[in-house]
Amino acid sequence: MSIDIAVVPVAGHGTRLLPATKSQPKEMLPVGRKPVVQYVAEELSAAQIRRVLFVTGARKSAIENHFDEDQSLVEYLRESGREEELAELEFDRNKVDYFYTRQSRQLGLGHAVLCARPLVGNQPFAVALGDSIIGLHAQSTIMSRMLEEYDRTGADVIVAVEEVPPQDVKKYGIIEPAGPIGNRIDIRRLVEKPAVNEAPSNLAIVGRYVFSPRIFDELALTKPGRGGEIQLTDAMQRVLEQGGKGVAMRLLPGEKRFDIGNFGSYFRAFFDFAISDPKYGESLRAHARKVLDREG
Ligand code: G1P
């Protein structure tokens, strides 16, 4: 696999999750046993990504602490024979190196990715948004499939997409397909958060990307768009307008997307992960049934 570096933007304020996110990043909220961003890191590691660059912001230091080795905690667990808990910390010693840079001003997702340029340089790279999990317990191969697509075709823009209900197209970047809609779709055009009557399809971008370095040149030229922010989708559209090639890869039926952007979707994600927990899932299901029967 030729691409081994991924950028994970985690600078957003998480205002839709206040007060839970007042002093901790939304990416650190637990979903079942792990914080959201750990699932993202595990998904990337499973796709052979070996360097992860977080684009962070104010109040995000908990993310750095989470991926750092905590020697005193390790020693304490080792000395007290707590092998099971010790095993839970192995993720921070996996084969991935973590790097951090700051986006000091909230100028949008496109700007956050551009902040990675001095470190990524002139090489292709992946992007995974730090507030969404793909697949129950991150059991997804979407990133590997996207990286294979890059190896095979060298496309400049590769995005993961899924169909969303028409009323939801206004929440996402939407692609216009250039050909038949299979698991791999050529892209004609991309538009950020279109109105329902202007959307070229209901295929929504779900926060996983692979880019050739051409994206940086276009990001540097992209003016603020939807919401007054520098939009990654607008820069991708610019790449296509300059003759670049764009491909969308569809999530497979089992690859459910868990978005931690608001309390509704966060609660659903937590519930799904908790009821499928190997140790506590069964009893939680029974508990949920009892509570619901009592109500009904
Ligand atoms: C961002 C992107 C959008 C994408 C979405 C996926 O929007 O701008 O194109 O579809 O993530 O979650 P946001 O949710 O940050 O507003």
Side-chain angles (χ1 to χ4, degrees):
M1 196 75 66
S2 54
I3 297 179
D4 78 336
I5 186 164
V7 173
V8 179
V10 288
H13 284 315
T15 45
R16 280 174 292 170
L17 291 161
L18 281 169
T21 52
K22 179 159 181 276
S23 66
Q24 70 168 338
K26 67 173 165 178
E27 296 82 5
M28 285 301 292
L29 291 177
V31 174
R33 293 176 178 231
K34 303 171 188 173
V36 180
V37 71
Q38 187 179 333
Y39 292 106
V40 177
E42 288 176 359
E43 177 193 334
L44 293 171
S45 165
Q48 309 305 320
I49 293 292
R50 291 293 166 259
R51 294 175 291 158
V52 171
L53 171 60
F54 290 103
V55 182
T56 75
R59 295 189 306 276
K60 300 282 177 167
S61 51
I63 296 175
E64 275 172 68
N65 295 338
H66 189 70
F67 289 101
D68 193 15
E69 230 178 282
D70 184 338
Q71 266 314 319
S72 64
L73 180 59
V74 168
E75 271 161 36
Y76 167 74
L77 292 173
R78 194 166 287 144
E79 278 162 20
S80 45
R82 311 264 283 273
E83 294 302 322
E84 221 175 286
E85 282 99 333
L86 203 55
E88 289 301 336
L89 296 182
E90 256 159 34
F91 74 90
D92 67 14
R93 277 173 286 146
N94 63 20
K95 297 165 249 66
V96 179
D97 288 320
Y98 299 101
F99 303 89
Y100 302 87
T101 188
R102 284 280 275 249
Q103 181 191 25
S104 320
R105 290 190 298 157
Q106 299 274 311
L107 299 180
L109 178 60
H111 177 255
V113 173
L114 188 57
C115 290
R117 185 178 203 174
L119 286 134
V120 173
N122 194 31
Q123 62 180 318
F125 62 104
V127 173
L129 303 192
D131 63 356
S132 63
I133 304 168
I134 312 268
L136 193 61
H137 303 289
Q139 297 297 318
S140 146
T141 56
I142 184 67
M143 190 48 93
S144 310
R145 301 201 305 276
M146 293 166 76
L147 294 173
E148 277 162 22
E149 174 69 19
Y150 182 83
D151 280 348
R152 215 166 52 78
T153 63
D156 298 287
V157 166
I158 303 173
V159 294
V161 295
E162 73 171 357
E163 283 176 55
V164 296
Q167 69 271 20
D168 285 348
V169 291
K170 62 174 184 296
K171 300 182 192 160
Y172 298 96
I174 301 292
I175 68 152
E176 179 177 335
I181 299 174
N183 288 336
R184 180 197 173 284
I185 307 160
D186 287 318
I187 304 175
R188 173 168 299 131
R189 184 167 69 95
L190 303 120
V191 41
E192 178 69 6
K193 302 195 174 91
V196 62
N197 55 340
E198 283 163 15
S201 77
N202 65 340
L203 291 164
I205 301 169
V206 296
R208 299 293 182 272
Y209 312 79
V210 172
F211 293 122
S212 79
R214 286 177 79 166
I215 194 73
F216 287 136
D217 292 336
E218 299 308 326
L219 274 171
L221 298 170
T222 300
K223 300 269 178 304
R226 174 88 42 202
E229 298 192 337
I230 297 174
Q231 296 291 350
L232 185 55
T233 306
D234 293 347
M236 294 192 279
Q237 171 60 16
R238 289 180 66 100
V239 172
L240 299 199
E241 283 165 11
Q242 304 301 314
K245 185 176 166 55
V247 172
M249 310 285 293
R250 264 216 299 195
L251 297 185
L252 299 175
E255 289 177 322
K256 194 170 166 197
R257 183 176 55 91
F258 300 92
D259 160 43
I260 319 300
N262 60 61
F263 280 115
S265 59
Y266 172 53
F267 289 165
R268 279 194 298 276
F270 196 104
F271 185 72
D272 283 9
F273 278 56
I275 62 167
S276 58
D277 185 90
K279 190 163 174 191
Y280 299 107
E282 201 52 53
S283 63
L284 183 60
R285 275 169 201 264
H287 173 72
R289 271 190 214 107
K290 211 158 54 182
V291 172
L292 295 174
D293 284 349
R294 212 185 296 146
E295 275 187 2

PDB file of all heavy atoms in Angstrom, residues 109 129 172-173 192-193 205 207 209 231 233, ligand 1:
ATOM      1  N   LEU A 109     -13.687  23.146   7.333  1.00  0.00           N
ATOM      2  CA  LEU A 109     -13.020  21.852   7.156  1.00  0.00           C
ATOM      3  C   LEU A 109     -11.899  21.922   6.118  1.00  0.00           C
ATOM      4  O   LEU A 109     -10.826  21.339   6.304  1.00  0.00           O
ATOM      5  CB  LEU A 109     -14.074  20.799   6.740  1.00  0.00           C
ATOM      6  CG  LEU A 109     -13.575  19.398   6.455  1.00  0.00           C
ATOM      7  CD1 LEU A 109     -12.900  18.784   7.685  1.00  0.00           C
ATOM      8  CD2 LEU A 109     -14.722  18.497   5.981  1.00  0.00           C
ATOM      9  N   LEU A 129     -12.729  12.057   9.119  1.00  0.00           N
ATOM     10  CA  LEU A 129     -13.265  13.000  10.100  1.00  0.00           C
ATOM     11  C   LEU A 129     -13.347  12.314  11.458  1.00  0.00           C
ATOM     12  O   LEU A 129     -13.778  11.158  11.561  1.00  0.00           O
ATOM     13  CB  LEU A 129     -14.637  13.525   9.665  1.00  0.00           C
ATOM     14  CG  LEU A 129     -14.675  14.213   8.293  1.00  0.00           C
ATOM     15  CD1 LEU A 129     -16.001  14.952   8.094  1.00  0.00           C
ATOM     16  CD2 LEU A 129     -13.507  15.173   8.099  1.00  0.00           C
ATOM     17  N   TYR A 172     -25.042  17.466   3.864  1.00  0.00           N
ATOM     18  CA  TYR A 172     -23.832  16.773   3.391  1.00  0.00           C
ATOM     19  C   TYR A 172     -23.275  17.365   2.103  1.00  0.00           C
ATOM     20  O   TYR A 172     -23.970  18.072   1.375  1.00  0.00           O
ATOM     21  CB  TYR A 172     -24.166  15.302   3.103  1.00  0.00           C
ATOM     22  CG  TYR A 172     -24.622  14.517   4.298  1.00  0.00           C
ATOM     23  CD1 TYR A 172     -25.988  14.350   4.549  1.00  0.00           C
ATOM     24  CD2 TYR A 172     -23.710  13.964   5.174  1.00  0.00           C
ATOM     25  CE1 TYR A 172     -26.417  13.630   5.655  1.00  0.00           C
ATOM     26  CE2 TYR A 172     -24.125  13.244   6.278  1.00  0.00           C
ATOM     27  CZ  TYR A 172     -25.481  13.077   6.520  1.00  0.00           C
ATOM     28  OH  TYR A 172     -25.892  12.370   7.613  1.00  0.00           O
ATOM     29  N   GLY A 173     -22.032  16.983   1.820  1.00  0.00           N
ATOM     30  CA  GLY A 173     -21.511  17.150   0.472  1.00  0.00           C
ATOM     31  C   GLY A 173     -22.161  16.068  -0.383  1.00  0.00           C
ATOM     32  O   GLY A 173     -22.250  14.919   0.037  1.00  0.00           O
ATOM     33  N   GLU A 192     -21.581  21.211  -1.972  1.00  0.00           N
ATOM     34  CA  GLU A 192     -21.677  21.161  -0.508  1.00  0.00           C
ATOM     35  C   GLU A 192     -23.071  21.592  -0.056  1.00  0.00           C
ATOM     36  O   GLU A 192     -23.547  22.678  -0.379  1.00  0.00           O
ATOM     37  CB  GLU A 192     -20.609  22.082   0.117  1.00  0.00           C
ATOM     38  CG  GLU A 192     -20.632  22.170   1.631  1.00  0.00           C
ATOM     39  CD  GLU A 192     -20.202  20.873   2.346  1.00  0.00           C
ATOM     40  OE1 GLU A 192     -19.765  19.917   1.678  1.00  0.00           O
ATOM     41  OE2 GLU A 192     -20.315  20.830   3.577  1.00  0.00           O
ATOM     42  N   LYS A 193     -23.723  20.712   0.675  1.00  0.00           N
ATOM     43  CA  LYS A 193     -25.014  20.981   1.327  1.00  0.00           C
ATOM     44  C   LYS A 193     -26.026  21.678   0.410  1.00  0.00           C
ATOM     45  O   LYS A 193     -26.464  22.803   0.684  1.00  0.00           O
ATOM     46  CB  LYS A 193     -24.779  21.786   2.610  1.00  0.00           C
ATOM     47  CG  LYS A 193     -23.844  21.073   3.590  1.00  0.00           C
ATOM     48  CD  LYS A 193     -23.871  21.642   4.982  1.00  0.00           C
ATOM     49  CE  LYS A 193     -23.039  20.802   5.924  1.00  0.00           C
ATOM     50  NZ  LYS A 193     -21.660  21.149   6.089  1.00  0.00           N
ATOM     51  N   ILE A 205     -21.419  12.408   0.965  1.00  0.00           N
ATOM     52  CA  ILE A 205     -20.028  12.149   1.390  1.00  0.00           C
ATOM     53  C   ILE A 205     -20.027  11.920   2.903  1.00  0.00           C
ATOM     54  O   ILE A 205     -20.606  12.707   3.652  1.00  0.00           O
ATOM     55  CB  ILE A 205     -19.136  13.356   1.023  1.00  0.00           C
ATOM     56  CG1 ILE A 205     -19.186  13.594  -0.487  1.00  0.00           C
ATOM     57  CG2 ILE A 205     -17.706  13.145   1.498  1.00  0.00           C
ATOM     58  CD1 ILE A 205     -18.551  14.905  -0.928  1.00  0.00           C
ATOM     59  N   GLY A 207     -17.347  11.493   5.185  1.00  0.00           N
ATOM     60  CA  GLY A 207     -16.219  11.799   6.067  1.00  0.00           C
ATOM     61  C   GLY A 207     -14.979  10.946   5.906  1.00  0.00           C
ATOM     62  O   GLY A 207     -14.129  10.906   6.793  1.00  0.00           O
ATOM     63  N   TYR A 209     -11.911  10.270   2.943  1.00  0.00           N
ATOM     64  CA  TYR A 209     -11.403  10.806   1.679  1.00  0.00           C
ATOM     65  C   TYR A 209      -9.994  10.278   1.419  1.00  0.00           C
ATOM     66  O   TYR A 209      -9.248  10.006   2.362  1.00  0.00           O
ATOM     67  CB  TYR A 209     -11.277  12.341   1.736  1.00  0.00           C
ATOM     68  CG  TYR A 209     -12.478  13.099   2.266  1.00  0.00           C
ATOM     69  CD1 TYR A 209     -12.725  13.191   3.628  1.00  0.00           C
ATOM     70  CD2 TYR A 209     -13.339  13.763   1.393  1.00  0.00           C
ATOM     71  CE1 TYR A 209     -13.815  13.920   4.119  1.00  0.00           C
ATOM     72  CE2 TYR A 209     -14.424  14.501   1.866  1.00  0.00           C
ATOM     73  CZ  TYR A 209     -14.656  14.565   3.236  1.00  0.00           C
ATOM     74  OH  TYR A 209     -15.730  15.285   3.706  1.00  0.00           O
ATOM     75  N   GLN A 231     -14.638  25.352   2.299  1.00  0.00           N
ATOM     76  CA  GLN A 231     -15.214  24.009   2.225  1.00  0.00           C
ATOM     77  C   GLN A 231     -14.296  23.055   1.456  1.00  0.00           C
ATOM     78  O   GLN A 231     -13.861  23.359   0.347  1.00  0.00           O
ATOM     79  CB  GLN A 231     -16.590  24.053   1.537  1.00  0.00           C
ATOM     80  CG  GLN A 231     -17.645  24.852   2.294  1.00  0.00           C
ATOM     81  CD  GLN A 231     -18.072  24.179   3.604  1.00  0.00           C
ATOM     82  OE1 GLN A 231     -17.723  23.020   3.881  1.00  0.00           O
ATOM     83  NE2 GLN A 231     -18.813  24.914   4.412  1.00  0.00           N
ATOM     84  N   THR A 233     -15.305  20.346   0.114  1.00  0.00           N
ATOM     85  CA  THR A 233     -16.062  19.943  -1.088  1.00  0.00           C
ATOM     86  C   THR A 233     -15.801  20.911  -2.242  1.00  0.00           C
ATOM     87  O   THR A 233     -15.655  20.492  -3.398  1.00  0.00           O
ATOM     88  CB  THR A 233     -17.573  19.894  -0.768  1.00  0.00           C
ATOM     89  OG1 THR A 233     -17.762  19.042   0.370  1.00  0.00           O
ATOM     90  CG2 THR A 233     -18.379  19.355  -1.945  1.00  0.00           C
TER      91      THR A 233
HETATM   92  C1  G1P B   1     -18.661  17.860   6.555  1.00  0.00           C
HETATM   93  C2  G1P B   1     -18.439  18.081   5.053  1.00  0.00           C
HETATM   94  C3  G1P B   1     -19.554  17.427   4.236  1.00  0.00           C
HETATM   95  C4  G1P B   1     -19.662  15.960   4.612  1.00  0.00           C
HETATM   96  C5  G1P B   1     -19.854  15.803   6.133  1.00  0.00           C
HETATM   97  C6  G1P B   1     -19.820  14.339   6.536  1.00  0.00           C
HETATM   98  O1  G1P B   1     -19.798  18.587   6.954  1.00  0.00           O
HETATM   99  O2  G1P B   1     -18.375  19.467   4.794  1.00  0.00           O
HETATM  100  O3  G1P B   1     -19.287  17.557   2.874  1.00  0.00           O
HETATM  101  O4  G1P B   1     -20.737  15.363   3.910  1.00  0.00           O
HETATM  102  O5  G1P B   1     -18.834  16.477   6.857  1.00  0.00           O
HETATM  103  O6  G1P B   1     -20.083  14.180   7.891  1.00  0.00           O
HETATM  104  P1  G1P B   1     -20.112  18.927   8.511  1.00  0.00           P
HETATM  105  O7  G1P B   1     -20.840  17.729   9.038  1.00  0.00           O
HETATM  106  O8  G1P B   1     -18.802  19.160   9.181  1.00  0.00           O
HETATM  107  O9  G1P B   1     -20.988  20.139   8.488  1.00  0.00           O
END
